[in-house]
Amino acid sequence: MYAHVCFVSCSQSSMESPNLEFEYGDTDTLTAELSEKVLLNLTLNTAVVCVLSGARGRRWIELTVEEQRAYVMRLLDALEVTDRDKRLKVARAILYLAQGVFDECDTEVDVLHWSRHNVFLLYDMGIFTALLELLSMEIDNSQACSSAVRKPAISLADSTELRVLLSIMYLMVETVRVRTEDDRPEWIAARETFKNELGSPLYNGEPFALLLFTMVTKFCSMNAPHFPMKKVLLLLWKTILFTLGGFEELQEMKVRGRERFNLPPLPEDSIKVVRAMRAASPPASAMELIEQQQQQKRGRRSRRPLVKQDSLDTYNERDPFKNDDARDEEEDPEDTDSGIEGEVDPLDRDVIIQPPPPPPPLRPPTERVNFPKGLPWAPKVREKDIEHFLETSRNKFIGFTLGNDTETLVGLPRPIHESVKTLKQHKYVSIAEVQIKREEELQQCPMTLGEEEVEETPAEILYLGMLPNLSQYVIALLKLLLAAAPTSKAKTDSINILADVLPEEMPITVLQSMKLGIDVNRHKEIIVKAISALLLLLLKHFKLNHIYQFEIVSQHLVFANCIPLILKFFNQNIMSYISAKNSICVLDFPHCVVHEMPELTAESLEAGDSNQFCWRNLFSCINLLRILNKLTKWKHSRTMMLVVFKSAPILKRALKVKQAMMQLYVLKLLKIQTKYLGRQWRKSNMKTMSAIYQKVRHRLNDDWAYGNDIDARPWDFQAEECALRESIEKFNSRRYDKNKNGDFTPVDNCLQSVLGQRVDLPEDFHYSYEMWLEREVFSQPIQWEGLLQNP
């Protein structure tokens, strides 16, 4: 799925930030994704010339398909030589083909066309399998690893062959993954074959993604500091995306899964709902607030009843006569961004539910107020919510309860009957609830229900492979995310993620330093993008495959401090991060190989691109917010972690980004903790409360906005997580650990077959078997009569 971005200027105010019409998707455009990964092969080295010299002066694009296949076969044979330098030259030649033989193309379209043609040709000839063998050799190259560990500083030169191999593999995965309208039938078939190969345990008995996970853990354990992590993470992300499927495939799988469990269809398509949302306005500037206050002071004297709702909010928040001591003691000082703008909520009048006041008489009467047509989401109710409501009602009106009975309404007044009817109309049963109930039944009746039939989906195969080292994989990814976060400070003991960006010779001119600075920042942004997208995909696919697979990954993330890490990431000037210009357009592929390279100057580097925001940074922010939502949803102890870490002011600042999807996930995180933030916080943030009401899905009997039934349970993080961990371990033991199920394995009690079994004895047994017979058999008294008696 392609995702595009465009910029729409906002006409309301010259000082207001623009509305970011960003379309969230699995990835950016193909050219943008390729430019983030491709290792430039600009110099046509002797290997390329030698390989193509057999064409006798003809260009690659002039050869027939059969002639091209013959040259690729020659390259494949040359990859098997023992000389490392020769292998590298051949690998560079293959990379040149995968990049679209750009030296023979005149336009970017031609480069992409020939790149696609060559990639499918390379895959058909078995190049990927050959590259995989070379990659495995490089990973197991202990000499290179030990040499890199001893080096005081790692540079690009230490990972040349690895970078070439990973670049070719990335080009192949990404090109084959993306569908186009003019795909040939054989390409469509090749795509399905390649997808199945990558997701199946065909490579050394495990999926290809596990090999890349191994590279990540080796790098983070300091055993292989020369591994180019950016390229590994990008290839890992695209492999997971290709084999498991993107967001639209997930939605289709969810629909099919609900059909399989005989559940009613989804109330709406979440992807379409989010895309149709409009962003709310960001915070007003200080100058606009002063002007607004002056208008309010003038308006209060004459027409007090007609003050707008948002003006009331601003007045309540910035009332000069209000005692400052009345502010909630829990209000964090970080909530104030700058002086007068501090307590003002990030959302303005277009998110308020109440209609604006009548227009002044001077306006033409044809102008009419546009009310919101309706809420975007259908409300949902859980079975637990209906049970809790009936339990409370029975206690109040009858004086006793009936347990989990949601059908008996005897003795309850008519309004309660109507309420229960409404709740049941919006009742939503998730796939996770069905899976949990089924798991409880399997645990209670293992003999009756028999063994569960587990479908060998790509997600199931990946989980089974990741399970033994899951904790290591999660910790390694979070270490890399921490090292790449812009808020992280450089430490001497932290891992070096810049091994594949730092040159052998450090820059000596200002221009070189500026270019390296841009490269380093861009490098970190790409790492954050890849890890955030990878973690989100794993969480979503594992949750759909089985809820306890999702829960174990979530718990590993929480135990590895993922929640404070994401909050630390957002505790920065998020607008600056969204609009960062850490890219040099003229150096992006394929632009740089087709057009003449202009002379780079300090001014051109500072100018950056013309886009008003950075796609990858906005994509990363939304991914991290979605991960945080998944970790905390329905988890009381983790919600309290958001409160304890003072996430409210951090999240409120993120609302400045005028993008609907990002605002939605921020508002979701604020909603789940609103009742714990105190009455004063809610009173001074009414515009945020209104935005939550308008944009976030309703749970009909969730008292989030008032906190009257505030949860009185203590914040016992350990007890909740331990109970969850126990359920996870029971699930893993039942489904995957066959050795622990010995109590239920059939026993062979046939004397003939037991005595007829061949027993492997140690090699030295025949030296001492006579002593063994004497000690264990002859010297032991045997009561033969006892064998004849019934026990």
Side-chain angles (χ1 to χ4, degrees):
M1 175 174 64
Y2 285 2
H4 64 274
V5 293
C6 57
F7 174 70
V8 176
S9 61
C10 191
S11 60
Q12 287 110 342
S13 168
S14 60
M15 303 183 70
E16 193 173 271
S17 62
N19 189 16
L20 305 181
E21 292 295 333
F22 163 91
E23 185 175 328
Y24 181 80
D26 294 317
T27 62
D28 202 347
T29 58
L30 178 61
T31 51
E33 293 295 333
L34 294 182
S35 68
E36 290 187 351
K37 173 71 182 198
V38 172
L39 173 70
L40 291 187
N41 201 24
L42 297 179
T43 55
L44 293 181
N45 54 46
T46 54
V48 179
V49 176
C50 290
V51 168
L52 302 181
S53 61
R56 296 177 182 174
R58 294 164 63 195
R59 301 192 302 170
W60 173 266
I61 61 178
E62 296 172 349
L63 302 179
T64 64
V65 175
E66 290 305 318
E67 289 174 322
Q68 291 174 349
R69 293 175 72 90
Y71 286 124
V72 173
M73 184 61 72
R74 187 185 303 175
L75 289 174
L76 197 57
D77 293 338
L79 271 182
E80 297 179 2
V81 298
T82 55
D83 191 323
R84 187 184 183 88
D85 293 334
K86 289 182 179 178
R87 277 205 316 267
L88 180 59
K89 289 179 180 179
V90 175
R92 285 190 181 278
I94 296 173
L95 175 60
Y96 173 66
L97 292 178
Q99 287 174 334
V101 286
F102 48 80
D103 195 50
E104 302 178 12
C105 299
D106 299 323
T107 64
E108 295 181 25
V109 175
D110 290 343
V111 174
L112 294 175
H113 166 77
W114 281 105
S115 173
R116 191 169 187 79
H117 169 85
N118 292 344
V119 161
F120 277 99
L121 178 65
L122 292 172
Y123 170 70
D124 189 43
M125 298 296 294
I127 288 289
F128 191 87
T129 307
L131 295 174
L132 185 63
E133 293 176 2
L134 291 178
L135 182 63
S136 300
M137 285 172 51
E138 287 297 316
I139 294 172
D140 297 333
N141 189 345
S142 57
Q143 183 180 355
C145 292
S146 58
S147 173
V149 168
R150 289 194 301 269
K151 277 194 172 185
I154 307 294
S155 68
L156 282 164
D158 297 297
S159 60
T160 305
E161 190 161 352
L162 271 171
R163 285 182 293 114
V164 172
L165 295 175
L166 290 168
S167 293
I168 303 169
M169 296 171 97
Y170 177 85
L171 280 166
M172 294 182 72
V173 170
E174 178 66 359
T175 304
V176 175
R177 182 190 69 82
V178 175
R179 299 179 178 88
T180 59
E181 295 178 357
D182 57 347
D183 275 354
R184 304 170 193 167
E186 60 268 23
W187 289 1
I188 296 172
R191 177 180 298 112
E192 287 303 312
T193 306
F194 194 25
K195 177 180 177 179
N196 294 332
E197 286 178 0
L198 289 176
S200 303
L202 298 179
Y203 303 108
N204 300 324
E206 58 186 21
F208 175 58
L210 279 184
L211 181 69
L212 300 175
F213 270 119
T214 305
M215 293 186 73
V216 173
T217 50
K218 285 190 73 171
F219 176 84
C220 289
S221 61
M222 305 293 185
N223 291 326
H226 64 297
F227 282 178
M229 266 303 102
K230 184 191 80 172
K231 294 184 180 297
V232 173
L233 289 169
L234 279 172
L235 180 55
L236 176 57
W237 165 38
K238 293 301 173 64
T239 302
I240 297 291
L241 178 61
F242 187 22
T243 55
L244 302 190
F247 300 129
E248 290 188 351
E249 287 94 334
L250 271 164
Q251 188 75 4
E252 294 170 3
M253 290 161 63
K254 195 172 183 180
V255 170
R256 293 197 300 270
R258 293 187 67 82
E259 291 175 355
R260 191 169 64 251
F261 288 116
N262 297 319
L263 295 173
L266 292 166
E268 71 275 299
D269 187 335
S270 57
I271 294 176
K272 292 179 181 177
V273 173
V274 173
R275 284 180 180 168
M277 278 187 173
R278 290 185 58 223
S281 295
S285 65
M287 188 177 297
E288 289 172 331
L289 286 174
I290 295 170
E291 196 175 321
Q292 207 173 54
Q293 286 178 0
Q294 292 172 350
Q295 291 175 355
Q296 288 165 14
K297 289 177 183 177
R298 290 194 295 268
R300 279 198 297 271
R301 297 192 188 98
S302 56
R303 298 177 59 182
R304 178 75 176 265
L306 296 179
V307 178
K308 287 185 180 181
Q309 177 65 40
D310 66 327
S311 300
L312 281 172
D313 290 341
T314 309
Y315 174 68
N316 285 335
E317 294 179 45
R318 300 306 309 168
D319 187 354
F321 302 105
K322 186 191 293 185
N323 186 358
D324 289 337
D325 295 333
R327 287 185 62 195
D328 186 7
E329 293 179 358
E330 295 175 8
E331 186 80 51
D332 193 276
E334 290 178 358
D335 208 2
T336 57
D337 289 335
S338 60
I340 196 166
E341 192 179 339
E343 293 181 36
V344 178
D345 197 86
L347 306 169
D348 75 354
R349 61 185 65 85
D350 64 354
V351 301
I352 303 301
I353 303 302
Q354 288 84 350
L362 295 176
R363 290 188 179 180
T366 54
E367 287 190 19
R368 300 183 64 184
V369 179
N370 292 322
F371 293 96
K373 291 183 179 180
L375 298 171
W377 304 100
K380 285 181 180 178
V381 179
R382 295 187 298 169
E383 181 76 21
K384 289 180 182 177
D385 298 331
I386 301 176
E387 291 173 5
H388 178 68
F389 176 76
L390 277 172
E391 185 179 351
T392 307
S393 301
R394 286 175 185 140
N395 267 328
K396 181 177 180 180
F397 293 104
I398 305 174
F400 63 89
T401 60
L402 299 176
N404 297 333
D405 186 353
T406 58
E407 301 300 326
T408 306
L409 302 176
V410 176
L412 296 174
R414 174 56 57 186
I416 299 298
H417 287 233
E418 294 296 326
S419 299
V420 172
K421 182 182 177 183
T422 304
L423 290 174
K424 287 186 175 179
Q425 282 177 350
H426 295 96
K427 179 182 171 183
Y428 176 79
V429 180
S430 66
I431 294 176
E433 291 174 282
V434 177
Q435 290 171 338
I436 290 173
K437 189 175 180 181
R438 173 68 176 167
E439 183 62 26
E440 289 173 355
E441 292 171 354
L442 286 167
Q443 294 287 354
Q444 291 171 358
C445 313
M447 300 295 291
T448 310
L449 297 176
E451 277 200 34
E452 180 188 19
E453 290 186 9
V454 182
E455 186 181 355
E456 289 291 313
T457 61
E460 181 68 29
I461 295 169
L462 180 64
Y463 177 79
L464 187 57
M466 291 179 66
L467 185 57
N469 302 307
L470 186 57
S471 176
Q472 296 177 30
Y473 298 149
V474 169
I475 291 172
L477 289 175
L478 291 184
K479 277 185 178 180
L480 293 168
L481 185 61
L482 176 63
T487 52
S488 297
K489 296 177 181 176
K491 295 180 181 178
T492 53
D493 58 343
S494 62
I495 52 178
N496 177 24
I497 57 171
L498 305 177
D500 51 334
V501 72
L502 295 177
E504 285 186 87
E505 297 180 2
M506 294 308 289
I508 55 175
T509 66
V510 175
L511 186 64
Q512 290 174 343
S513 299
M514 288 179 66
K515 183 178 178 300
L516 181 60
I518 291 173
D519 282 343
V520 167
N521 290 334
R522 175 177 172 273
H523 186 81
K524 290 182 176 180
E525 290 172 3
I526 294 172
I527 288 177
V528 172
K529 169 187 173 182
I531 294 175
S532 64
L534 171 63
L535 287 175
L536 181 61
L537 278 174
L538 289 176
L539 288 173
K540 288 185 76 68
H541 276 285
F542 286 156
K543 186 174 184 180
L544 196 56
N545 200 53
H546 199 287
I547 182 63
Y548 284 132
Q549 296 177 352
F550 161 81
E551 293 291 5
I552 190 172
V553 177
S554 300
Q555 200 165 67
H556 280 308
L557 285 168
V558 172
F559 288 168
N561 288 329
C562 183
I563 292 177
L565 171 56
I566 294 178
L567 292 175
K568 180 180 180 181
F569 180 89
F570 281 97
N571 194 18
Q572 59 170 312
N573 187 336
I574 205 69
M575 285 302 297
S576 297
Y577 186 72
I578 294 297
S579 57
K581 297 288 193 298
N582 291 314
S583 60
I584 306 170
C585 297
V586 293
L587 296 183
D588 283 347
F589 182 88
H591 182 277
C592 60
V593 295
V594 174
H595 302 283
E596 188 174 344
M597 189 74 66
E599 184 180 354
L600 291 177
T601 61
E603 291 74 18
S604 64
L605 290 180
E606 286 178 349
D609 57 20
S610 59
N611 291 330
Q612 297 301 312
F613 62 95
C614 177
W615 195 97
R616 63 172 165 264
N617 289 355
L618 192 47
F619 177 73
S620 301
C621 288
I622 294 174
N623 288 340
L624 291 172
L625 288 169
R626 296 184 75 182
I627 292 168
L628 201 52
N629 268 287
K630 288 198 168 297
L631 296 181
T632 54
K633 188 176 183 181
W634 305 122
K635 301 289 192 302
H636 172 67
S637 60
R638 298 178 190 175
T639 302
M640 293 306 295
M641 287 178 71
L642 292 178
V643 179
V644 169
F645 288 130
K646 299 185 182 299
S647 65
I650 296 172
L651 293 169
K652 275 184 62 180
R653 283 198 293 271
L655 287 171
K656 290 182 178 181
V657 180
K658 200 173 178 185
Q659 204 282 323
M661 191 171 188
M662 183 166 171
Q663 288 183 349
L664 170 66
Y665 289 107
V666 171
L667 292 171
K668 279 187 174 186
L669 289 166
L670 287 171
K671 178 185 176 180
I672 62 174
Q673 56 178 315
T674 298
K675 65 170 71 173
Y676 307 108
L677 295 176
R679 182 179 177 185
Q680 186 63 35
W681 186 92
R682 296 194 293 273
K683 183 180 177 182
S684 58
N685 290 276
M686 285 307 297
K687 289 192 290 278
T688 303
M689 302 289 283
S690 297
I692 291 172
Y693 179 88
Q694 187 182 14
K695 292 182 179 295
V696 181
R697 187 191 302 277
H698 287 270
R699 299 280 172 174
L700 289 184
N701 46 359
D702 181 11
D703 198 13
W704 66 271
Y706 301 98
N708 293 329
D709 60 341
I710 187 164
D711 202 328
R713 287 180 300 164
W715 179 34
D716 194 345
F717 175 84
Q718 197 168 7
E720 289 188 35
E721 297 295 340
C722 284
L724 178 61
R725 189 53 176 259
E726 185 180 0
S727 300
I728 294 168
E729 287 179 350
K730 284 180 179 177
F731 163 75
N732 283 331
S733 175
R734 181 192 62 76
R735 188 185 272 200
Y736 303 112
D737 194 351
K738 301 302 180 185
N739 298 328
K740 288 192 178 181
N741 293 337
D743 295 341
F744 305 111
T745 53
V747 177
D748 185 1
N749 52 16
C750 176
L751 185 64
Q752 187 174 0
S753 65
V754 170
L755 292 177
Q757 288 179 2
R758 180 178 178 83
V759 179
D760 292 328
L761 299 170
E763 293 180 3
D764 57 346
F765 181 75
H766 66 279
Y767 295 117
S768 57
Y769 79 95
E770 293 179 348
M771 293 174 58
W772 180 84
L773 281 173
E774 183 66 33
R775 185 180 70 248
E776 300 292 338
V777 180
F778 300 144
S779 63
Q780 298 291 335
I782 300 173
Q783 302 293 335
W784 297 104
E785 296 83 359
L787 296 174
L788 302 176
Q789 296 174 359
N790 292 327

